[in-house]
Amino acid sequence: MENTQTISDISKETLTFLAYFNNEMINKIPNSVIIKLCEYASDSTLEFFIDPNKNFENQKISEESKDLISLIYYNYIADEVEKKEIENRWNENDKNFEIQQKKIYNSDNLFENSSNINKEYTQSCQENSMIEYKESLLKKIFIKIKNFFKI
Amino acid sequence: MYSNYSIDQITSPIYEQVAQKLLSLAKNEEMKRKMEGILYEGGFDNFSINGNFAMEREVLFKNNPTIEASKRLNMAYLLLTNPKIIDVMQRTGSVFFHGTNANALPYILKYGINSLDRSQENNIKVITGEEFSRIHGKRGFVSVTDCIDISLTYAGINPNSKNMKEQLLNFGIIAGVSFQNMEDIRTISINSDISEIAVKDNLPLEHIKFLAVPKDKEEFVKKLVGEKNIEIVGMDLDDKFYILNFSNKLKTLESYREESVDTKTTSKTFTKEDVKKAVETRRFSKIKEIFAKIKKQRSKKNNNKIDIAERS
């Protein structure tokens, strides 16, 4: 799927997928919303398609379009109970995301990792220390023969 | 007289067999009367499948008895399966068709139908029918045809399309076109072996009188079109009848069942449960971002409107 950025492209992509919602969902979306999206979409230069072999969750849709579709679903299609559930999930997802981000970018972790790296480095140095080369008896004989005959 | 061709020039044993089979499937006497008119005279009441105006006569030069015969059988079948389309064709004089893909719809509803060259000048990427039929260099015209089977081959991508590498989907549409008011229309001569008119550069929106779309897309497209003076009619755009030869048309009619025509849909629909799963994976901060982006776009457009109003 193309990297969509402009509102025109997001609107067109959103419309493409809304068109494949069942009529029960489409009937709940106000005409004014669809018309507005269509207006924005008229300047998009991209084309979008559905993969008939995949469900909605696994379709190739840009993140912005997924967000816009979700906003439309929340505002017009979800009932009051669902809205509460969705709000809670969105907030939870935000919190989980922040926790993950903190783990990745925590400066304490940076230093902790660094000391581990040092330990590993020292260990590998010891393992890879100079390997003593011992000539085989056969090779010693061969060299002596070479020297004897000045080859 | 509705046609330049008499029934003797059109008819053949197989034509007669298909015609009789079609008539036997008519739902009522009124429909049967209209079908007889189409099949044996080329029209009924004040409606001709070849139109009544100068523009339509241009295609008559490319018409021949075989094309005419095929057209009459197809129109009679269209009346059988989609009487609403024949009704709007009769009311608006829209006897021409332009087949395209739903991707083009937002643009068409704002600017009309652009030629391939005009689209590409405006940076619109075109991968549907018009691009397939570009053979040499320029294609600065919009093709409209009075043969519904030709427009159906241009009408978008479907899961059975052999032209696509991946079987991706966006529904096709047939625009019904009328040339009752021709002041803004220019045609160009093209060397074509199909029955088509080439409209120079752009076909304005006011000439589009109806959109035939898959039946399960009717509600959605009605919303898209809004208050514009364009009727939306449901049609099975994958119906092979229109492109079959006469023998196979007859075979199709022999197994025709009204209920199977009415329940045909595009092959994919997202359910509420399916959508909700994806909705629940989003983050509140990102939802706020997209909302802000749309709001900004709206205020930009409103400011432009104010500027234009002030300047004028």
Side-chain angles (χ1 to χ4, degrees), chain A residues 20-36:
Chain A
Y20 283 82
F21 281 18
N22 64 27
N23 279 340
E24 191 200 330
M25 287 195 279
I26 288 170
N27 288 338
K28 290 183 180 176
I29 304 171
N31 292 4
S32 54
V33 171
I34 302 286
I35 289 170
K36 206 74 206 171

Side-chain angles (χ1 to χ4, degrees), chain B residues 102-156:
Chain B
N103 266 300
L105 206 42
Y107 187 90
I108 288 172
L109 291 174
K110 192 169 179 183
Y111 300 111
I113 302 177
N114 266 357
S115 68
L116 183 60
D117 287 350
R118 177 68 73 86
S119 295
Q120 291 184 337
E121 275 167 31
N122 293 332
N123 291 319
I124 309 283
K125 197 169 71 171
V126 180
I127 64 166
T128 49
E130 297 265 326
E131 184 60 42
F132 290 143
S133 54
R134 184 206 286 273
I135 298 168
H136 301 295
K138 291 176 72 63
R139 191 172 166 94
F141 60 89
V142 176
S143 169
V144 293
T145 176
D146 59 350
C147 295
I148 196 162
D149 52 318
I150 292 167
S151 65
L152 281 169
T153 59
Y154 284 103

Side-chain angles (χ1 to χ4, degrees), chain B residues 31-301:
Chain B
M31 183 181 277
K32 192 174 180 181
R33 181 186 73 81
K34 288 178 180 177
M35 282 168 82
E36 274 173 345
I38 290 171
L39 290 164
Y40 296 111
E41 293 174 39
F44 60 87
D45 302 336
N46 63 346
F47 172 67
S48 164
I49 64 169
N50 292 314
N52 296 311
F53 302 101
M55 184 71 83
E56 288 85 337
R57 292 198 179 100
E58 287 197 33
V59 286
L60 289 179
F61 290 116
K62 294 178 194 174
N63 209 355
N64 61 47
T66 311
I67 292 175
E68 177 74 11
S70 177
K71 226 170 19 170
R72 290 188 188 187
L73 291 177
N74 284 343
M75 283 293 117
Y77 182 78
L78 188 61
L79 175 59
L80 174 69
T81 53
N82 293 279
K84 277 189 198 168
I85 297 180
I86 297 292
D87 177 54
V88 73
M89 285 172 70
Q90 186 185 1
R91 276 189 282 109
T92 60
S94 43
V95 296
F96 287 95
F97 312 106
H98 178 85
T100 188
N101 182 269
N103 266 300
L105 206 42
Y107 187 90
I108 288 172
L109 291 174
K110 192 169 179 183
Y111 300 111
I113 302 177
N114 266 357
S115 68
L116 183 60
D117 287 350
R118 177 68 73 86
S119 295
Q120 291 184 337
E121 275 167 31
N122 293 332
N123 291 319
I124 309 283
K125 197 169 71 171
V126 180
I127 64 166
T128 49
E130 297 265 326
E131 184 60 42
F132 290 143
S133 54
R134 184 206 286 273
I135 298 168
H136 301 295
K138 291 176 72 63
R139 191 172 166 94
F141 60 89
V142 176
S143 169
V144 293
T145 176
D146 59 350
C147 295
I148 196 162
D149 52 318
I150 292 167
S151 65
L152 281 169
T153 59
Y154 284 103
I157 294 130
N158 63 60
N160 300 315
S161 168
K162 293 189 179 87
N163 289 327
M164 300 304 294
K165 241 196 263 184
E166 292 172 335
Q167 305 254 299
L168 299 179
L169 186 63
N170 202 344
F171 63 96
I173 57 175
I174 303 276
V177 176
S178 167
F179 293 117
Q180 283 183 327
N181 178 5
M182 286 169 50
E183 285 169 6
D184 53 350
I185 296 293
R186 295 288 177 269
T187 59
I188 57 177
S189 292
I190 47 164
N191 189 12
S192 169
D193 55 0
I194 58 173
S195 181
E196 63 175 336
I197 283 175
V199 176
K200 194 173 185 307
D201 290 333
N202 174 265
L203 181 65
L205 191 60
E206 52 264 35
H207 290 278
I208 299 173
K209 300 298 179 188
F210 72 84
L211 294 173
V213 300
K215 291 194 178 190
D216 62 342
K217 296 287 171 273
E218 262 188 270
E219 287 310 310
F220 181 76
V221 177
K222 276 180 188 165
K223 282 179 181 280
L224 271 182
V225 167
E227 298 298 320
K228 294 181 181 59
N229 190 20
I230 299 174
E231 292 192 46
I232 309 302
V233 280
M235 179 180 171
D236 179 8
L237 294 171
D238 291 332
D239 193 335
K240 297 287 177 278
F241 180 91
Y242 300 99
I243 59 172
L244 294 172
N245 63 27
F246 290 8
S247 302
N248 287 325
K249 280 189 198 310
L250 186 61
K251 281 183 195 159
T252 303
L253 289 175
E254 273 158 6
S255 56
Y256 175 83
R257 295 280 178 275
E258 192 178 319
E259 47 284 4
S260 65
V261 171
D262 282 345
T263 54
K264 281 252 178 89
T265 61
T266 51
S267 62
K268 186 73 185 169
T269 305
F270 298 126
T271 63
K272 199 176 178 201
E273 292 67 37
D274 192 8
V275 175
K276 194 178 167 191
K277 264 190 225 167
V279 167
E280 285 176 346
T281 63
R282 311 316 296 165
R283 292 190 282 132
F284 201 47
S285 52
K286 287 294 180 185
I287 300 290
K288 281 200 285 190
E289 263 179 44
I290 195 71
F291 180 71
K293 214 167 176 174
I294 301 244
K295 220 176 158 186
K296 195 179 170 186
Q297 177 77 6
R298 287 190 74 167
S299 64
K300 221 196 280 180
K301 288 228 164 187

Side-chain angles (χ1 to χ4, degrees), chain A residues 88-100:
Chain A
N88 291 339
R89 289 300 292 264
W90 284 354
N91 282 323
E92 199 183 309
N93 293 341
D94 253 332
K95 279 187 193 143
N96 289 339
F97 180 77
E98 272 174 47
I99 291 168
Q100 259 190 331

Side-chain angles (χ1 to χ4, degrees), chain A residues 88-135:
Chain A
N88 291 339
R89 289 300 292 264
W90 284 354
N91 282 323
E92 199 183 309
N93 293 341
D94 253 332
K95 279 187 193 143
N96 289 339
F97 180 77
E98 272 174 47
I99 291 168
Q100 259 190 331
Q101 294 293 95
K102 273 187 184 157
K103 269 188 191 162
I104 294 167
Y105 296 110
N106 190 349
S107 53
D108 295 338
N109 287 341
L110 274 173
F111 288 118
E112 201 181 286
N113 284 341
S114 170
S115 70
N116 281 342
I117 287 168
N118 276 337
K119 273 187 199 163
E120 284 170 15
Y121 178 71
T122 314
Q123 214 173 351
S124 71
C125 282
Q126 286 167 352
E127 283 165 3
N128 296 333
S129 56
M130 190 77 78
I131 296 163
E132 213 179 308
Y133 177 67
K134 288 186 177 160
E135 280 180 337

